[in-house]
Amino acid sequence: MPEHTWKVSAPVSRITTPPPASITPLLEHTTLLGKTAVISGSCSGIGAAIALELSSRGCNVVINYPYQSLELDALALSNRLTPRAIAVCADISTLDGPQTLIDAAVKEFGKIDILVNNAAIAINLPFEEQTMEHWTSLVDLNGRGTFLLTQAVLPHLSKTDSRIINIDSISSRAAPAMQTIYAGTKGMVDSFTRCWAKELPPKYGCTVNAVSPGPTMTEGFAAAGEAFIKMMQPVLDQTPVGARMAKPDEIAFAVGFLCEPRASWINGLNLTASGGLFID
């Protein structure tokens, strides 16, 4: 494999890779070649899997991470991506983080074709124990962050065949216990998707869709330990396709499908990827 040239400068960390023609073997699937995707919260978990999926289709990728402590993880992921990738430190839960991310992406690539609103956090507690601190942290990231990042991208979104994809959750419609605030914020994302799918395509030439994962074996779930997984098993046992969590790449494939040029007539869809655990 050719060597990578590392160029690091705050707040953007860049890895310059060779042009596609010099990559051996050349990617077989280049349906997104020449396009650029911004994926919030993408240095691990579902976001990282989406980055790998879109890269495998020839897409340039902007990795996003919220804290400097995650820079090495983001750089390691960026180094795996072709044709080109950068990693940008921007906290989407802040008022200026979304604009910082978009500005860095536009400075590097000039335009944005795909926005994936993935950054989110969850709290699972009895209703009585959920606090205003929980409210603020979830609403600011899951709700306001999605809102502001989408507003920030619109002036730079390609005017033809662009995509906005929101990562929702089956919690937004399944309404599980102990997820009052989380399910509420994902309900916001669900409604954002429907509103934007009607309003934005005529003005910006985009489609707007959502992907709603069920339980997915991310680093966060794995770190919760065997006791938590055992507690989750009765829920997983209800999944028709198999009594397990999803793999992140299974969710990423759903996103990749919606990004394809041939998916241009799909708009306003909330694509549930839960193995049938939730069927609306």
Side-chain angles (χ1 to χ4, degrees), residues 82-98:
T82 56
R84 295 169 60 200
I86 64 170
V88 181
C89 184
D91 185 350
I92 304 304
S93 72
T94 65
L95 287 172
D96 59 356

Side-chain angles (χ1 to χ4, degrees), residues 12 16 21 23 28 37 42 67 79-80 121 135 231 238 269:
V12 180
T16 303
I23 295 172
E28 294 181 1
S42 49
Y67 313 118
N79 202 31
R80 299 170 61 188
I121 54 175
W135 173 277
M231 182 182 69
Q238 300 174 44
L269 174 69

Side-chain angles (χ1 to χ4, degrees), residues 233-267:
Q233 195 58 51
V235 175
L236 302 179
D237 288 342
Q238 300 174 44
T239 307
V241 172
R244 63 172 178 86
M245 292 189 186
K247 295 177 287 187
D249 65 316
E250 292 173 315
I251 310 304
F253 181 83
V255 175
F257 158 70
L258 292 172
C259 291
E260 284 293 319
R262 294 178 67 185
S264 58
W265 206 239
I266 300 173
N267 182 53

